[in-house]
Amino acid sequence: MPELPEVESVRMGLDRWVAGRTVEAVDMLHPRSIRRHLSGSGDFAGRLAGCKITATARRGKYMWLTLDSGEALLAHLGMSGQLLVQPPECADEKHLRVRMRFDDGGSELRFVDQRTFGHLMVEPLVPDATGVEVPGAIRHIALDPLDPAFDGDVFAGVLRRRRTEIKRALLDQSLISGIGNIYADEALWRSRLHWARATGGLQRRRVADLLEHVRGVLGEALAEGGTSFDGLYVNVNGESGYFERGLKAYGRVGLPCERCQTPIRRDAFMNRSSFSCPKCQPRPRGARVSPASR
DNA sequence: CGGGCCTCCTGAATGC
DNA sequence: TGCATTCAGGAGGCCC
């Protein structure tokens, strides 16, 4: 499941292959992949044709290719999206949704997406609240914790004013971006915080500690090329990452906590799962007891 | 408008 | 064996 480290791994790989190349044509193979590009397939392909890709960028789980037209091709991988660099003679993937061909006749850029939660769109670049140019559609996405401009003190203040649970806040891309279910559980395990802890009751130093662990786990995962469970996350060359070996909580239900040997528990959370150590991450007083699933 | 639930989707895994 | 159900989850939409 692509979160910040996986998206950044893809972006870095893409940069090398597409920066400086000129788009010749785009083949649209599934309308759902551009459902957020409201003016449709023809407009999407037309805005890309003839454009030169000048650079790549990322914020949170979104990445984009800047174009010499002043617009950007924005991509979100969703659950199963892949951006692959493939030679033209390579057979179409089963779930190939969009193909971009270049005027040099070299490798194509292919958007492959089994579950179609990912999407692409062409958007004008506009200044965000701090003056940085981002695709218009993601103006509401917060800075991610690896962005040098991310301000931990501001984040702590925002958190403490919120009336919600800490894991919900970590997953809220308008507060802090790039974190999904896996790295939220890992950062909370490292911080010894239960997912249901109220954000309003967290001391500033606990928020600072949590943020340090968020940055730590994202950075370590990035260094390993990301996390792959099922082969659905791969970099532009189709290679999986290795960070699943570094996971301490996510997916480890029943296995011993590496700090205290207590079996990791699994709670139902937001129609999905949350993994934590019952001893290191005690349930806060007054938190509802979620039915353990499976 | 803040908070939180619902929905979209496919295929692997599980259940009976 | 085979059909049906469950599960995974990002984020926009929508309801209260």
Side-chain angles (χ1 to χ4, degrees), chain A residues 39-282:
Chain A
S39 38
S41 296
D43 183 81
F44 177 87
R47 282 173 186 276
L48 290 169
C51 286
K52 182 172 171 180
I53 295 170
T54 51
T56 63
R58 181 192 55 74
R59 175 170 289 181
K61 303 173 197 171
Y62 285 91
M63 78 184 104
W64 61 94
L65 310 180
T66 58
L67 308 170
D68 61 358
S69 62
E71 297 193 300
L73 171 60
L74 178 66
H76 193 291
L77 301 178
M79 286 289 297
S80 56
Q82 306 174 341
L83 282 168
L84 303 175
V85 174
Q86 295 278 45
E89 63 271 20
C90 179
D92 288 3
E93 292 77 6
K94 181 173 181 191
H95 301 294
L96 178 62
R97 310 304 189 190
V98 177
R99 180 208 324 274
M100 182 182 292
R101 293 183 270 118
F102 293 91
D103 69 353
D104 56 19
S107 294
E108 303 173 347
L109 178 59
R110 299 183 180 183
F111 183 62
V112 176
D113 189 11
Q114 178 199 103
R115 295 178 203 169
T116 69
F117 276 34
H119 62 97
L120 304 178
M121 61 198 301
V122 180
E123 278 279 293
L125 288 165
V126 298
D128 72 359
T130 65
V132 176
E133 296 240 301
V134 299
I138 65 159
R139 263 176 301 191
H140 65 292
I141 299 294
L143 295 181
D144 63 63
L146 298 190
D147 191 317
F150 186 93
D151 188 326
D153 293 332
V154 169
F155 177 65
V158 169
L159 263 199
R160 284 155 52 86
R161 282 192 296 277
R162 282 267 156 161
R163 302 184 64 80
T164 189
E165 297 166 346
I166 183 59
K167 185 169 173 185
R168 288 179 184 278
L170 288 178
L171 296 176
D172 185 337
Q173 307 296 303
S174 69
L175 302 182
I176 182 171
S177 68
I179 305 170
N181 205 33
I182 297 173
Y183 298 116
D185 279 3
E186 293 303 305
L188 290 169
W189 182 86
R190 291 180 179 211
S191 306
R192 304 182 194 230
L193 285 172
H194 188 275
W195 52 266
R197 283 289 296 270
T199 52
L202 287 178
Q203 295 169 336
R204 282 190 170 269
R205 39 181 287 272
R206 295 224 64 179
V207 177
D209 182 64
L210 171 62
L211 196 50
E212 205 166 302
H213 287 305
V214 165
R215 289 189 171 119
V217 73
L218 293 178
E220 288 168 35
L222 179 55
E224 294 286 332
T227 302
S228 316
F229 293 103
D230 49 14
L232 281 182
Y233 158 68
V234 293
N235 67 16
V236 295
N237 301 312
E239 301 155 348
S240 295
Y242 295 100
F243 190 69
E244 63 273 22
R245 293 181 297 200
L247 299 179
K248 308 296 188 188
Y250 185 86
R252 289 178 46 84
V253 61
L255 295 173
C257 168
E258 292 189 16
R259 277 190 302 246
C260 73
Q261 314 309 315
T262 306
I264 295 290
R265 79 183 144 202
R266 166 183 175 144
D267 297 315
F269 169 81
M270 288 174 78
N271 259 338
R272 55 203 61 163
S273 297
S274 207
F275 300 91
S276 58
C277 171
K279 190 172 170 194
C280 302
Q281 300 167 268

